Every structure is written in structure tokens, then in C-alpha cells.
Amino acid sequence: MNFKRAKIPLYIIATLLFGLKTYIVYRFFFSIELDNSMQELILIINPFVSAFLVFAISVWFKKEKRQMKYLRYTALIGTIIIYFNVVFYRSFTDFITIPQLFQASNMGDLGGSVLTLVRPFDLLLLLDVVIIWYLSKKQSDVMTVSYPKSGKVFALAMSLMLLAGNFFLAEMERPQLFTRAFDREYLVKNIGLFNYHIYDLAVHSKVKTQRVFADGNEIPKIKEYINTEIKSEEKSEMIGVAKDRNLIVISAESVQNFVINNKVNGEEITPFLNSLTEDEDTYYFNNFYHQTKQGKTSDSEFVMENSLYPLPRGAVFFTHGQNEYNALPELVNQEGYYTSVFHANNKSFWNRDQMYDSIGYDHFYGEEAYEVTKENSIGWGLKDKPFFEQSIKYLQTIEQPFYTKFITLTNHFPFELSKEERSIEPYNSNSRTLNNYFPTVRYTDEAIEQFFQQLKDAGLYENSIIVIMGDHYGISENHNKAMSQYLGKEEITPYDHVQLQRVPFFIHIPGNGNGKVMSKVAGQIDVKPTLLSLLGVKAKNDIQFGNRLFIDDRKGYVAFRNGDYISEKYVSTSGICYNRETGEPVNQNEEELNSTSNKENPCTDIQNKVEKELGYSDDIIYGDLFRFINFDEKK
């Protein structure tokens, strides 16, 4: 093609090429769900609108070289931003936020995990950059534009009009998009990836100022909500049942509940955890949900220790590690418990060294406390079996009673384990991740079983209670096809996806004899009040959004960070209200979900409470509101 005759400005070509690439990424790299033709139209429009807005700025450069240079590097930088989101999405089914960019120290520990997310065909994402680069170098004389000031203003006005039109359509499709932005997919789907990042930057700047202007006046209305909607005065015979016992919590990396009492290739996946479901000293919660977001394991720790929600963006451990908290470790420490964490990773990962100090841990047994070799480590570090074996010697030296938490590593993406250490064979599906998941889950199960025996041999078992909790999901939505094959379903629906967010939760009390399966919906938000109750520890003047799990008078729902929830009767997700028992939609119309009439939609009332709770929890964290509360004073 003779570009000298074509006379097509390069910024127009760049807009078309980059916009097309972005749309292809939306449709084939991200799992963005489109519910109607309007959403499809918006998804087609927004990448070209964003591209035109950015590339049209080039017309303001008078010199040819600067104009061409701007277009070249803008296309390259934009591609890098897209690709970072692609790789991140493959692991977390989410989009990068500004706070996560400050978690770059974690990247050094990812190792081979990142490499497994890179695909050879990703190089095609550079194709438009190569074309733009070539044209800006070889055809710059005809690719450059020289508009009068009126032409430049027109280009700017046109880009802003297109952006306004995009936002207008987005608001029509998703009312209150920016004020109810719990779900990043809705933002990307409606305003585009790059506009989402600008929005995210604006939100980040806003929340950074919240602490400066907070004065504690928000606390009374939060307390009123807690007292009227969540707190219960119901007594339970389980209060103080484990008083003065050691509390041992095992955070089981990426273990989901679908493996419990299930098989692969005819073999039990978790034989030891299966046995606990029928153990007379164990309470097994089979409808217990993780409530993490971008902070993953650190989020699960935060929710469990504080009975507050994680943040919608980034990890609390990183963004607000210096806040004042009234956490579980601090509360039991005040009752004479020595508090510690065992985790064979470096202290800076997830900013644990700072956060653990803020929530009241006495000691962190990190990577330096272990003998880690090539033979006893894999993937993210020390394997679970040697991890527990090497930990027991430290546990025996700690003064009792103690509260200690163990965080496992082996069952972590990309789920690597040598053939020699596999007790069961991988599954056979189109997902290598799901296939390898089962052997590593079994390995963790065996490690926990051995740890139980080690506690007995060390004389620590009888005077302890042992809690086992899955921290977050291990298999993301990117593997839905393989999951549907394993579960024998035609597809994984939004309702099924919510059910897959269940993680195991066991409370094992040696000698109790009253263990049973507990089927009411529960979540990580309920762990702190439950454990404090079992230990007979009263949290004076506390603010927490969870309930004790051994009472009947509970709020009856579990909220997720994106605004979805599950209750005893309903599941609300993806704008649809489902019957929890049947999985059938109660309402297909999203407008009804926003209706104020509970008769029209039974999900509405709880939906409003969920949004209020998430907002109050955010206010506490962003404003560091606990610094205004004296938790020792009487109510």
C-alpha cells in the first residue's frame, strides 16, 4: 500500500489498530460476561473512544518528530498496561489497582508462578505497536498532521464528546456505575480498561485523604448499625468451652470445600479432613465462605483477625498496615496468651512484619526460622510436611496458653509437586492447573494429619483447640470448563461460582464429644467473634461485622467484597437473585434488583445492608477510625 497517497493521519491508524487490539483482549483474554446487546455495543465502542482520546493529543505537537515519538511510545506504554492486566487476570480473574502497584515487593517471590501465565501468542499484542513504530519512522512525512488551532480544538472536543457518549451509555446500562463500583469488571466493561485505571487513580487519591479529614464522628452511626443489625445477646453453652486452652489456627492455602468428601480418579482427595467431618470432637462448617479480594491470603488473615471486610482495591496489609486495630491476637494477648505466626516466607511478603505488629502478634517465625533446601522446598517455598516438622520444636518452647497461626504453602498456584511425592495422580482435563491441584491438596491433607500426631507426641494436643480454614479459592473462573467437567455439570453458572467460594472450616476441640456438621451459611467475618467466645474472652466496646457461629440469632448472610451475597434462602450475584436451594433465578431483571419493593425482589433488603456494611468497614479502614476509640473503657 502506498501510504504517501493514502494521507491517513497516524493518530487515526493508531486509534483503529489499538482499539481493535483492546477489543480482542476484552473478548478473548478476559472472561467478560455480556448479558445483552447494549453491553456488547458499549464493549465495542469504549476501546476506540479511549484510544482516540489518547492518540488525538498528538495533534497538539507542532514538530513532526515529537508527534511521531508520542504516538510510538503511547502505543507501547498502552500495550504494556494491557499485558500486565492480562497476566494478572489469568491468575486472579481481576484487574490491577493502584494499591497493588505498591505491592511490587511481592513480585520477587512469585518466581515460576508468573512464567506459567505467559503464553507464546501474547507476542501478537505487539503487532500494532510494530506497525505504528514502522509508519512513524518510515512514513512520518505523510503520517504527520498540522492542524490550525481550531482543528486541534475540534479534535479535542470530538474526543471528549465521544467519551461523554460512552459514559452516558454506560450509565443507562448500569445506573450508579461509579457510586456502586464494587465490581471492577463492570467498570472495565462499561468505560474501558484505561478509563477504569484513571478512575481507580482518582479513587485512590480520594481515600488517601480520608484519614487526614477523619475525626471519629462516623463512629456512632457505625456502632448503631452493629448494635441493631448484627450484634446478638443470645447466650450459648459454647461460651468459654475452650477457656485457657491453646488456640492453633491452620490457614490451608487455596483449599476449597469441593474437595472435601470427594474423589479424583477413584481416590479420596482429602482422607484426613474427610475423617474430621465425622469426628466427635470436630465442628465442621460445610457452608463456610472465604471473603477475600485482591489481598488473597493476607485478606483472609485480615478478615479472620478483625471481623472487618477487606478493601475493594489492593490489600489492607499493604495500604493500611500502620492503622490502629482491635484484632484477635491483641485481645487474647491481653488475657495472657502468647501470640505468634508460623510461615516459611520472608517477613516483607504482604508487609507482614509491619501488619503483625499492628494487630498484636508477639513473634513471627518467618523464613529465617527454617532450614530451607532445594530438596524440601518447591514453588513458593518450604513444603508443608517439613514446615510442620520444623515448627513443632518452636511450639514446644512457647509459654502456654498461646495463640498461634500456621500458614501453609504447598497447595499454591501453580500447584507443583514431584511424582515421587504424589499420593494420587493428577486429574485429566484441559486445565493443567486443575489437574495438578488434586495431588497438592492431598499433600497438604497428609501434612495436617501428621501435624495432629506431632501435637499429640509433643503433649500439646489435649490442651488445645485446632482450627483449620481454607484461606481463599485455588481454582479461578479461568478454569470453568475443566471444573464443569470434574463436577459433572454442563457449565459453571454464576450461582455455581458462588458455591465454589466455599472453603473448609473446622473447629476441633479434643475431648468435647459433641462435634457435628454445621450447615448454616457462615464466613471468615465470623471467625473472630466465634473464637473469642470459645476462649471466654470478652471484647469490650468492639466493632465487628460477624456473628458467633454457635448461636441461632445471626444476621443470616455472608457478604462478598464485590457486593454479592449469600443468605439462607437466596444467592445474589451478577445482578441476579437465585433461590439458594434450587439454584433457579428468582428475578432475571436487574432493574428489579435495585427496586425498593421487597415484594418484587426478595434480595433487595439484604443487598442494601451488604452495601452499607461494606461502606462502613471501608470508612473504618480508610479513616483509621479505631484510633478514636478507647476499647478498654466500659460501654
Side-chain angles (χ1 to χ4, degrees):
M1 179 177 180
N2 190 336
F3 287 101
K4 292 187 177 181
R5 292 182 179 177
K7 296 290 184 180
I8 304 174
L10 185 55
Y11 81 92
I12 297 295
I13 295 174
T15 295
L16 295 174
L17 290 175
F18 196 86
L20 178 62
K21 175 178 70 177
T22 306
Y23 176 71
I24 291 172
V25 169
Y26 288 169
R27 296 300 277 122
F28 301 104
F29 289 74
F30 300 145
S31 302
I32 294 179
E33 294 185 3
L34 301 174
D35 300 323
N36 52 55
S37 57
M38 176 63 83
Q39 290 184 3
E40 179 70 65
L41 176 64
I42 294 173
L43 194 71
I44 294 173
I45 290 173
N46 77 56
F48 295 98
V49 169
S50 299
F52 185 76
L53 178 65
V54 174
F55 288 118
I57 294 174
S58 66
V59 304
W60 290 85
F61 292 94
K62 293 182 179 179
K63 293 184 178 180
E64 173 187 309
K65 288 185 177 181
R66 290 184 179 180
Q67 195 173 117
M68 295 297 101
K69 186 176 182 179
Y70 172 81
L71 292 170
R72 286 197 301 269
Y73 284 100
T74 299
L76 178 60
I77 293 170
T79 299
I80 292 172
I81 293 172
I82 288 175
Y83 191 59
F84 279 177
N85 277 280
V86 165
V87 173
F88 185 83
Y89 193 91
R90 284 171 179 165
S91 180
F92 301 109
T93 320
D94 202 352
F95 301 94
I96 296 173
T97 62
I98 296 299
Q100 285 186 305
L101 297 179
F102 295 99
Q103 297 167 201
S105 60
N106 277 2
M107 294 300 292
D109 293 79
L110 296 180
S113 297
V114 172
L115 296 178
T116 63
L117 302 173
V118 176
R119 308 284 188 269
F121 56 78
D122 292 345
L123 286 172
L124 293 175
L125 294 178
L126 289 170
L127 183 60
D128 67 310
V129 178
V130 172
I131 295 174
I132 293 170
W133 205 279
Y134 171 80
L135 294 177
S136 69
K137 288 284 189 179
K138 302 298 183 180
Q139 306 287 338
S140 61
D141 55 333
V142 292
M143 293 291 136
T144 307
V145 294
S146 180
Y147 291 149
K149 189 174 181 179
S150 59
K152 296 175 182 178
V153 172
F154 176 79
L156 176 62
M158 178 62 69
S159 63
L160 293 177
M161 286 177 61
L162 290 172
L163 183 65
N166 183 177
F167 283 10
F168 177 74
L169 291 176
E171 186 65 21
M172 285 180 58
E173 169 58 28
R174 181 70 172 177
Q176 298 177 297
L177 176 65
F178 296 106
T179 58
R180 300 176 62 184
F182 293 120
D183 194 331
R184 276 171 288 278
E185 182 178 309
Y186 276 115
L187 287 169
V188 173
K189 180 165 58 176
N190 284 285
I191 65 173
L193 183 65
F194 295 96
N195 289 327
Y196 150 71
H197 281 304
I198 294 171
Y199 170 79
D200 181 56
L201 178 61
V203 171
H204 179 70
S205 301
K206 177 183 176 182
V207 300
K208 276 297 183 183
T209 65
Q210 269 187 256
R211 188 183 189 281
V212 177
F213 294 103
D215 56 10
N217 288 331
E218 306 91 337
I219 295 172
K221 65 178 181 181
I222 297 175
K223 283 188 173 182
E224 181 182 2
Y225 178 83
I226 297 287
N227 291 333
T228 57
E229 300 293 340
I230 298 175
K231 192 173 181 181
S232 172
E233 299 297 333
E234 181 183 339
K235 301 298 181 183
S236 168
E237 59 183 20
M238 295 296 287
I239 294 178
V241 72
K243 186 174 178 61
D244 296 327
R245 286 201 187 198
N246 303 316
L247 172 59
I248 299 171
V249 173
I250 300 172
S251 177
E253 172 66 41
S254 301
V255 178
Q256 290 175 245
N257 205 62
F258 75 86
V259 301
I260 304 298
N261 289 323
N262 221 333
K263 295 182 178 182
V264 65
N265 303 324
E267 298 279 348
E268 281 188 289
I269 304 167
T270 56
F272 178 67
L273 295 182
N274 293 352
S275 70
L276 290 182
T277 65
E278 300 178 348
D279 185 271
E280 63 179 9
D281 293 332
T282 303
Y283 296 88
Y284 165 52
F285 298 80
N286 63 358
N287 280 307
F288 182 91
Y289 294 79
H290 83 84
Q291 295 169 279
T292 69
K293 196 56 179 174
Q294 291 189 324
K296 298 305 177 187
T297 300
S298 71
D299 273 358
S300 76
E301 292 185 74
F302 179 78
V303 179
M304 184 195 80
E305 307 280 24
N306 293 280
S307 196
L308 299 173
Y309 291 99
L311 291 176
R313 304 155 52 257
V316 185
F317 268 46
F318 261 104
T319 60
H320 294 80
Q322 293 179 321
N323 277 17
E324 290 288 333
Y325 295 103
N326 195 45
L328 177 62
E330 181 179 0
L331 290 168
V332 298
N333 189 274
Q334 292 169 2
E335 299 295 321
Y337 277 71
Y338 184 83
T339 56
S340 60
V341 179
F342 290 81
H343 184 43
N345 208 326
N346 69 69
K347 62 183 180 180
S348 65
F349 197 75
W350 289 123
N351 194 38
R352 284 190 169 100
D353 52 344
Q354 183 180 86
M355 189 62 171
Y356 284 164
D357 183 62
S358 295
I359 60 179
Y361 276 112
D362 290 315
H363 190 73
F364 175 36
Y365 293 89
E367 186 178 37
E368 70 285 348
Y370 296 89
E371 183 181 344
V372 183
T373 66
K374 185 177 181 180
E375 290 71 30
N376 68 11
S377 61
I378 196 169
W380 285 65
L382 189 62
K383 298 172 189 173
D384 294 345
K385 291 179 182 178
F387 166 61
F388 285 121
E389 289 169 1
Q390 293 186 38
S391 297
I392 201 72
K393 63 184 179 184
Y394 297 116
L395 202 59
Q396 288 178 287
T397 65
I398 296 175
E399 183 179 348
Q400 301 185 50
F402 57 73
Y403 161 46
T404 190
K405 179 170 60 181
F406 292 83
I407 304 174
T408 65
L409 274 174
T410 304
N411 190 49
H412 196 295
F413 178 84
F415 310 114
E416 299 172 335
L417 199 63
S418 65
K419 291 182 179 180
E420 294 75 24
E421 292 191 283
R422 291 176 184 167
S423 298
I424 55 176
E425 291 302 307
Y427 184 56
N428 182 22
S429 73
N430 70 334
S431 168
R432 184 172 179 269
T433 296
L434 180 62
N435 296 345
N436 291 339
Y437 179 73
F438 297 104
T440 54
V441 171
R442 166 64 84 87
Y443 181 90
T444 296
D445 179 76
E446 293 170 349
I448 294 173
E449 180 178 21
Q450 290 182 16
F451 183 55
F452 267 59
Q453 187 59 50
Q454 289 160 355
L455 290 173
K456 293 175 182 178
D457 295 340
L460 296 171
Y461 174 78
E462 294 293 340
N463 193 41
S464 302
I465 67 168
I466 305 165
V467 176
I468 305 169
M469 182 187 76
D471 60 352
H472 55 75
Y473 69 81
I475 307 300
S476 72
E477 292 175 274
N478 295 324
H479 307 279
N480 275 355
K481 183 176 180 180
M483 276 299 299
S484 63
Q485 176 186 329
Y486 174 73
L487 297 175
K489 294 178 174 288
E490 291 185 6
E491 63 174 345
I492 300 297
T493 66
Y495 169 83
D496 295 324
H497 175 69
V498 169
Q499 299 309 311
L500 286 170
Q501 304 316 301
R502 287 181 292 186
V503 293
F505 187 65
F506 299 88
I507 298 178
H508 181 74
I509 309 175
N512 177 263
N514 296 314
K516 58 182 177 180
V517 176
M518 310 280 283
S519 295
K520 287 191 174 182
V521 295
Q524 292 171 332
I525 203 90
D526 301 313
V527 175
K528 174 188 173 183
T530 300
L531 296 183
L532 288 175
S533 174
L534 294 176
L535 297 177
V537 177
K538 293 183 178 180
K540 298 177 182 178
N541 210 24
D542 199 13
I543 291 178
Q544 48 195 16
F545 291 96
N547 291 125
R548 291 171 285 147
L549 293 177
F550 292 100
I551 60 173
D552 295 321
D553 182 22
R554 292 157 55 191
K555 62 184 183 182
Y557 59 88
V558 172
F560 298 109
R561 184 59 260 190
N562 65 354
D564 292 347
Y565 76 83
I566 180 166
S567 71
E568 296 296 340
K569 292 184 178 181
Y570 304 106
V571 171
S572 177
T573 183
S574 301
I576 301 174
C577 184
Y578 292 90
N579 181 297
R580 177 172 167 257
E581 294 299 325
T582 65
E584 295 296 321
V586 177
N587 286 282
Q588 292 281 8
N589 190 334
E590 188 175 330
E591 291 181 0
E592 291 184 11
L593 188 62
N594 298 318
S595 169
T596 57
S597 173
N598 294 332
K599 291 181 180 180
E600 291 182 9
N601 191 301
C603 282
T604 304
D605 183 53
I606 296 179
Q607 192 75 55
N608 293 334
K609 291 181 181 179
V610 166
E611 293 179 9
K612 187 171 289 188
E613 282 185 28
L614 293 172
Y616 283 154
S617 181
D618 288 349
D619 289 343
I620 291 170
I621 299 168
Y622 288 136
D624 192 10
L625 297 186
F626 281 178
R627 62 194 161 115
F628 300 111
I629 301 176
N630 181 1
F631 289 105
D632 294 326
E633 70 180 3
K634 293 183 179 180
K635 298 178 184 179

